[in-house]
Amino acid sequence: MTTVRTPPALELAVRDKERGTDRDTDHDRDPENHERDREPDRQRDLEREQGVVPVGLSPMLSRLAAERATGVLVRERGVLYLCDGEVVHAESPATPSLDVLLTARGVLAAESWREAVAEAGARRRVGRFLVERGRIAEGALELCHLGALYDAAYFVLGPSSTPARFRYGAAHWLGPVRPVPVAAVERETLRRRQLLHRVWPDPATDTAPLARARRAAEPSVPLRQWAVLGRVDGLRTASDISLALGRPAFHTLVDVRRLAAAGVVTAANAPERAPLPRELTQPSADPDVALLRRLRDALEAL
């Protein structure tokens, strides 16, 4: 009698619809492999829930970075200038401009700034003019410019109710200083959002006119916050105060939220809320680390 051997069935690759790639069926049959494949997706979902991944921060900005575009991205609360897909300058009405920050700190004389704009503005070389004429050290200009860029970008990349638009080829008259990758700008923006949320989760004081809360006695606050509190009059916003002080707007937001957390300041015409315990509103030498950890532990314990 003749024996006929049946060849084993061919193992066909299975198309993964989500990834657009082929996976072997042996891989799919292994439960451990299946769980391992799902792990990156679970991690991304967890990060999105915790606010770690900048989901939808600015899809247009990400696309412009990928195509190495040059021009200006116009959003509701300001603009970002790009060169070869990197951010070279940022401006927002909510923040003091670079010249205000430089002159308020005494880093640069106001006359030197006006001279640079008049002499080199049309050639878009104001920054290089200041350095080459010895008006400011290159490192000092880069540091101040980076701070101003991050400060404005925080507001530019905030929630928007209007569509963004991009004008190709546009360049800022300041000229190149030091470009910043889009990913770094988005990470810093997200880090600042998280910091503000941990200091005080209510964003009402960020944009509303500020008023002092009714208190029986003058509050005990650090000197830096006193400078902010002294300008709270029921009319000024945090941005108005930062402009008057010549400070970055985000730094003022941090101080205002600390004052709100202590029950010292509230949004004008807004109901007052119970302050956090006093020990949670004290400044630390490193607010980005020590304060965040202390506030996180305290808020999670509530």
Side-chain angles (χ1 to χ4, degrees), residues 222-239:
L223 184 61
R224 178 184 177 86
Q225 294 176 22
W226 260 118
V228 174
L229 187 59
R231 287 167 173 76
V232 172
D233 58 3
L235 299 175
R236 290 191 177 103
T237 64
S239 292

Side-chain angles (χ1 to χ4, degrees), residues 5 44 67 125 150 196 209 272:
R5 295 178 179 273
R44 281 194 296 270
E67 69 181 53
R125 288 183 55 83
Y150 280 140
L196 285 178
E272 297 181 10

Side-chain angles (χ1 to χ4, degrees), residues 63-177:
R63 187 174 70 251
L64 292 169
E67 69 181 53
R68 299 179 62 85
T70 294
V72 58
L73 176 65
V74 182
R75 287 173 59 90
E76 184 176 19
R77 302 195 68 188
V79 298
L80 295 179
Y81 284 85
L82 305 182
C83 182
D84 292 332
E86 295 185 312
V87 181
V88 294
H89 195 67
E91 291 181 345
S92 172
T95 65
S97 56
L98 177 61
D99 62 308
V100 173
L101 297 175
L102 288 172
T103 55
R105 298 175 184 178
V107 177
L108 182 71
E111 295 78 9
S112 297
W113 178 266
R114 288 192 290 267
E115 176 194 18
V117 173
E119 294 289 335
R123 294 179 286 119
R124 300 186 179 90
R125 288 183 55 83
V126 171
R128 294 311 309 165
F129 181 92
L130 291 169
V131 172
E132 292 169 358
R133 294 295 180 92
R135 304 294 191 265
I136 187 173
E138 186 170 11
L141 177 62
E142 289 182 359
L143 184 62
C144 291
H145 176 261
L146 182 64
L149 187 153
Y150 280 140
D151 196 41
Y154 171 80
F155 294 91
V156 176
L157 295 177
S160 175
S161 60
T162 61
R165 63 184 187 277
F166 186 74
R167 297 204 305 268
Y168 283 90
H172 194 271
W173 46 263
L174 181 68
V177 178

